[in-house]
Amino acid sequence: MSGAVPWNEARAQEIIDAHLGLEGPALPILHAIQEEFGYVPEAVVPQLAQSLNISRAEMHGVVTFYHDFRHAPAGRHVLKLCRAESCQSMGSEKIAKDFLERIKLEWGGTANDGSLTVEAIYCLGLCAHSPGALYDGEPIGRVDAEILDELASEAQKS
């Protein structure tokens, strides 16, 4: 997630204002906030609620409903492992569990050196190449332990 800038309330308001004219602007704003800051800070929830004229509880519900919105900055690289049915049928749960144990992370966790964040995702549309993953936005099919270890090693080096 290199390129993300530190949280800035004024910049967040610029992003909100730029999207307010859209139909159903909440999700485009949240995506833009995450794109800018690397996550959706808790501080933006009341700001966004006020701008959209909805309650903080409603806005909090939207932010927490979608797994794609992070609540803390991600590592320099993000690995998303598919946990949908097709990937599960090809052993993804065991592959992911073993990988997370090897690198000593939980789902959604970031390595201590900030090199890698591992997140769950539910269907990448790579079912014919299950189990699937997404590494910094790049789809990877037929993921196995060796591939995951290579990705973790690559993340540490860059």
Side-chain angles (χ1 to χ4, degrees):
M1 291 306 307
S2 59
V5 300
W7 164 247
N8 177 302
E9 185 177 338
R11 177 64 187 131
Q13 192 61 52
E14 290 174 8
I15 292 169
I16 293 169
D17 292 343
H19 292 82
L20 277 178
L22 298 175
E23 188 172 332
L27 292 180
I29 291 170
L30 288 169
H31 282 288
I33 293 285
Q34 183 157 292
E35 178 73 22
E36 182 78 8
F37 303 111
Y39 69 113
V40 178
E42 187 64 32
V44 81
V45 171
Q47 188 178 2
L48 193 48
Q50 182 175 1
S51 295
L52 296 175
N53 197 27
I54 61 175
S55 72
R56 289 180 184 189
E58 289 172 305
M59 195 66 245
H60 177 78
V62 171
V63 172
T64 57
F65 178 79
Y66 295 99
H67 296 278
D68 244 15
F69 297 124
R70 292 186 195 94
H71 307 290
R76 294 187 305 277
H77 300 277
V78 176
L79 176 63
K80 296 183 177 192
L81 300 174
C82 186
R83 301 185 76 184
E85 289 80 2
S86 176
C87 289
Q88 285 182 28
S89 72
M90 297 302 289
S92 67
E93 288 298 305
K94 177 160 179 33
I95 292 169
K97 179 180 178 283
D98 293 348
F99 176 66
L100 290 168
E101 285 177 8
R102 283 195 305 280
I103 63 171
K104 298 176 178 37
L105 285 181
E106 303 270 332
W107 285 113
T110 300
N112 288 337
D113 63 1
S115 62
L116 182 68
T117 297
V118 180
E119 299 175 337
I121 193 164
Y122 298 91
C123 198
L124 291 166
L126 293 173
C127 303
H129 303 280
S130 294
L134 206 59
Y135 181 70
D136 289 341
E138 187 73 28
I140 301 169
R142 305 204 196 292
V143 169
D144 60 16
E146 184 178 335
I147 290 172
L148 293 178
D149 290 345
E150 286 175 16
L151 293 173
S153 176
E154 179 183 312
Q156 285 181 326
K157 293 175 186 169
S158 57

